[in-house]
Amino acid sequence: MADLWMPGATRHALGNEGAMNGGPARAVWHITSNAKDWTFKNEHGWFTGGGASVAPHLLWEPFTGEVAQYFPADSRSLSLVNAGAVKTNRTGRYCIQIETVFTAGETVGGKRYATVRDTPCKGLDKIMAWLRSLGIADAWPGGAPTSFTRDTVSLSTWLSEGGHYGHNQVPGNSHVDPGPMPNLFAVPVPEATKPVYQPFPGAEWFKKSPRSAIVTAMGKRLVAVGCSAYEDGPGPQWTEADRKSYAKWQRKLGYTGVAADGWPGAKSWAALRVPHV
């Protein structure tokens, strides 16, 4: 099971409200946009002081790599405005809010920076490793942010599709940040922080009949725990034999009925401990 606190971050627990609404995990990217003070110290002081009521999960300084964490991953933060009756901060199994200490046009070391994409992005590899360990997909459901404008996704997209979003894309919100972002998915996971076990790829991933080394690794674990329904294999292609084998595993864990239908879920997957591939 992934650590709910980001390894290496300075931790400042402001509470753990929990009560996430479930569904695909996601991350939302913001920038602090402070015209008077561009320092990590200033923003950190705000989020642990007068701005604690709108603190994100993470505060990230892309020039130094400093990171502070205010909430564990499975708690909501209050960085987003609700979209009517939809509590946007609670959407998904995880809804990680990341405030980047950045202001468009700021000058650092005598150089002017227009976007987060232009910064050194120090520490981004560690953040991406953590987000991936939580099962947050390498995807922008609304497309990667390209400008400081609103680009709101539909409410159905927000509720049903995991991955990465800009603050400018979240329904019910009016902000235009974060602006152009670096290519997050080209950021490698540092070897030392790669998880021992394979993160849960999401329930919908299996229903698309994937062909992947993940399926093979899962099948080998099912055989190892005595839950095989295979005549051949297991192999990289998801088949009905994989689903029947996984259903055996769910029943072994005590699940019944539709909870033991053979489609992997996050809790049964974590218990299976599929080796990272």
Side-chain angles (χ1 to χ4, degrees):
M1 185 68 71
D3 188 349
L4 294 181
W5 293 93
M6 180 184 167
T10 302
R11 302 175 184 181
H12 301 270
L14 299 181
N16 185 353
E17 296 297 325
M20 297 300 293
N21 290 336
R26 73 276 317 286
V28 181
W29 295 85
H30 309 246
I31 62 173
T32 51
S33 295
N34 189 328
K36 296 182 179 180
D37 192 325
W38 303 328
T39 64
F40 181 88
K41 180 180 179 180
N42 177 73
E43 302 299 344
H44 176 55
W46 166 246
F47 286 126
T48 54
S53 62
V54 292
H57 291 84
L58 299 184
L59 180 67
W60 169 50
E61 219 294 355
F63 293 95
T64 65
E66 292 173 275
V67 177
Q69 184 172 0
Y70 306 110
F71 296 94
D74 62 350
S75 171
R76 66 94 180 103
S77 75
L78 286 176
S79 299
L80 298 173
V81 175
N82 289 335
V86 175
K87 295 182 178 181
T88 49
N89 290 291
R90 299 180 186 273
T91 304
R93 183 185 180 205
Y94 302 112
C95 189
I96 306 299
Q97 309 294 319
I98 304 164
E99 283 278 1
T100 305
V101 182
F102 182 79
T103 301
E106 71 176 81
T107 300
V108 178
K111 180 180 177 180
R112 185 176 183 275
Y113 292 85
T115 70
V116 176
R117 184 171 58 195
D118 304 323
T119 71
C121 294
K122 291 184 178 179
L124 182 57
D125 56 344
K126 295 179 181 178
I127 293 174
M128 286 302 299
W130 184 61
L131 297 178
R132 286 164 171 158
S133 78
L134 297 175
I136 297 175
D138 280 4
W140 291 97
T146 58
S147 63
F148 292 97
T149 56
R150 287 297 301 171
D151 187 22
T152 312
V153 301
S154 68
L155 196 57
S156 62
T157 295
W158 170 252
L159 291 171
S160 65
E161 296 191 31
H164 296 256
Y165 291 85
H167 192 183
N168 67 318
Q169 297 174 324
V170 182
N173 288 249
S174 61
H175 287 214
V176 298
D177 59 312
M181 292 288 291
N183 184 353
L184 302 180
F185 314 141
V187 177
V189 176
E191 194 66 33
T193 61
K194 285 186 178 179
V196 176
Y197 301 117
Q198 185 66 37
F200 180 52
E204 293 304 314
W205 185 80
F206 293 96
K207 294 181 180 180
K208 296 176 182 178
S209 299
R211 183 178 180 84
S212 169
I214 296 174
V215 177
T216 303
M218 176 206 72
K220 289 180 178 179
R221 280 293 298 149
L222 291 171
V223 171
V225 297
C227 294
S228 174
Y230 300 104
E231 294 183 5
D232 298 302
Q237 181 68 53
W238 173 270
T239 68
E240 184 65 10
D242 292 293
R243 193 182 69 79
K244 289 180 178 178
S245 298
Y246 204 93
K248 286 188 173 185
W249 170 242
Q250 290 168 324
R251 290 193 294 271
K252 187 171 184 176
L253 292 176
Y255 294 106
T256 60
V258 294
D261 60 4
W263 294 110
K267 290 184 178 179
S268 60
W269 183 268
L272 186 57
R273 297 186 176 183
V274 177
H276 187 269
V277 297

